[in-house]
Amino acid sequence: MCLFCDIAAHEHEAFIVDETERTVTFLDIAPANEGHVLIIPKLHVDSIVDMPDEYVLEMTAVARRMVKAFAKVYGAAGYGIMQNGGANCEFGHFHLHVFPRLEGDGYDWIYPEGPKEVSQAVADRLRGALKQ
Ligand SMILES: [Zn+2]
C-alpha cells in the first residue's frame, strides 16, 4: 500500500527497534539526532483522526518507552515528539517522530512568519469546537 505498510509487513528493509501488536518502530533514515525513530501504526491512515484509540494509546506508550531508552543510551535529559498529519503527512501513513534531545544540539522549531492571535477568543473558539 505504501513504504511504511511495507516496513510494517517486513517487506521493506528498516532498522527495526521495536514491534508491538499494533506498531512498528524503526530508525529514521534522516535523523535529527542519533536514535531518532519513527513509530508507525500497522494500519494505513494519514491522520490521528482516523486512528482507533487503541492505536493512539499504544503509539504513545511506545513513545514513552523510547524516551526511557534515550535516557539510558544517550543520557538524554530531553526528547522531541513530533507529527505532521493529514495533508502534511509524508508518505500518507501516520507516523510519530521521537528523538533524543542532547544538550546544545541546535535543534529548533521553525515557525511560519506572520501575526498569530493568542487570546481568550481563540481559546473559546477551540473550546466550542471540542464540544461539538
Ligand atoms: Zn501505509
Side-chain angles (χ1 to χ4, degrees), residues 1-5 43-44 91-93:
M1 205 173 215
C2 80
L3 173 64
F4 287 177
C5 283
L43 187 69
H44 186 84
F91 304 108
H93 190 127

Side-chain angles (χ1 to χ4, degrees), residues 20-112:
T20 66
E21 185 185 343
R22 298 180 180 87
T23 71
V24 173
T25 301
F26 55 95
L27 293 182
D28 191 321
I29 57 167
N33 278 326
E34 184 183 303
H36 183 159
V37 295
L38 300 180
I39 304 171
I40 60 170
K42 293 177 177 175
L43 187 69
H44 186 84
V45 292
D46 72 354
S47 172
I48 196 168
V49 171
D50 301 320
M51 204 157 56
D53 285 351
E54 58 268 28
Y55 281 82
V56 176
L57 293 172
E58 198 159 302
M59 291 185 73
T60 307
V62 173
R64 180 169 55 190
R65 288 175 52 229
M66 284 309 309
V67 167
K68 290 178 181 175
F70 295 153
K72 288 179 192 165
V73 175
Y74 300 109
Y79 59 90
I81 296 178
M82 339 183 292
Q83 202 275 322
N84 298 307
N88 295 94
C89 180
E90 221 179 342
F91 304 108
H93 190 127
F94 187 89
H95 54 285
L96 206 56
H97 293 258
V98 188
F99 52 94
R101 292 297 311 278
L102 307 172
E103 199 177 325
D105 64 12
Y107 179 85
D108 201 1
W109 298 92
I110 298 173
Y111 286 16

